[in-house]
Amino acid sequence: MSQPVELHGRLFHPFISAQQINERTSALARELDEAIGLETPIALGVLNGAILFHSDLIRAFTFDVEVAYLRTRSYSGMKSSGKVDIEWPDDLSVNGRHVILIEDIVDSGRTLVALTKELKERGAARITSIVLLDKPAARIVPYKPDFVGFEIPNAFVIGYGLDFDGLGRNLSSIYQVVEG
């Protein structure tokens, strides 16, 4: 596996390799293929963090899918602000549709709870959530994703779309902060 990386004066060590991510993403796509059926869902990616996972996942689907993105913000540095801001695209309608909500990570649960509530209010007929990383030990509000790539401990991670104050998204593997 790769060497540790340093961002903003913090050291991160290799945690989940690019190969592990690729293999698990392919497996998740197969699981979704079986669960979707004949409908054409909207694969809704949450920017910026989920862009790599979303792209790799939808390319592995064998069913037809529409693609859309929205943006949320809830982090400053390595801490959640506790507030979720959602930027909803003007041209996105989910009314009566099956939405596959694709997110990079669920920790506190606030973002996915807020997004699920918003999707229901906008008339989504069905919502299937899929997250690359799940941190159940960090949960502040109850939330259980429908599909999970990897369950991880409550530590700060970067890479494969996840950032630390704007840096690290481009790393092909996932790295965990070295405490101390």
Side-chain angles (χ1 to χ4, degrees), residues 19-78:
Q19 180 178 344
Q20 289 172 301
I21 295 167
N22 185 48
E23 289 170 0
R24 185 63 185 129
T25 300
S26 295
L28 286 167
R30 286 190 302 275
E31 291 174 35
L32 279 165
D33 281 350
E34 294 173 14
I36 294 303
L38 298 175
E39 59 191 313
T40 301
I42 299 171
L44 184 59
V46 181
L47 296 174
N48 285 334
I51 195 162
L52 297 179
F53 178 50
H54 183 268
S55 297
D56 289 345
L57 186 64
I58 64 172
R59 286 186 305 202
F61 289 160
T62 60
F63 54 87
D64 290 331
V65 64
E66 290 181 30
V67 175
Y69 292 95
L70 57 74
R71 182 183 306 273
T72 64
R73 288 193 179 91
S74 64
Y75 261 79
S76 176
M78 293 194 305

Side-chain angles (χ1 to χ4, degrees), residues 158-170:
I158 60 163
Y160 194 68
L162 296 118
D163 75 307
F164 175 29
D165 283 343
L167 299 179
R169 290 190 197 279
N170 61 310

Side-chain angles (χ1 to χ4, degrees), residues 6 12 48 55 70 74-75 81 91 105 118 123 152 154 161:
E6 186 177 329
F12 295 82
N48 285 334
S55 297
L70 57 74
S74 64
Y75 261 79
S81 67
D91 62 346
I105 190 166
E118 182 80 14
I152 64 170
N154 189 14

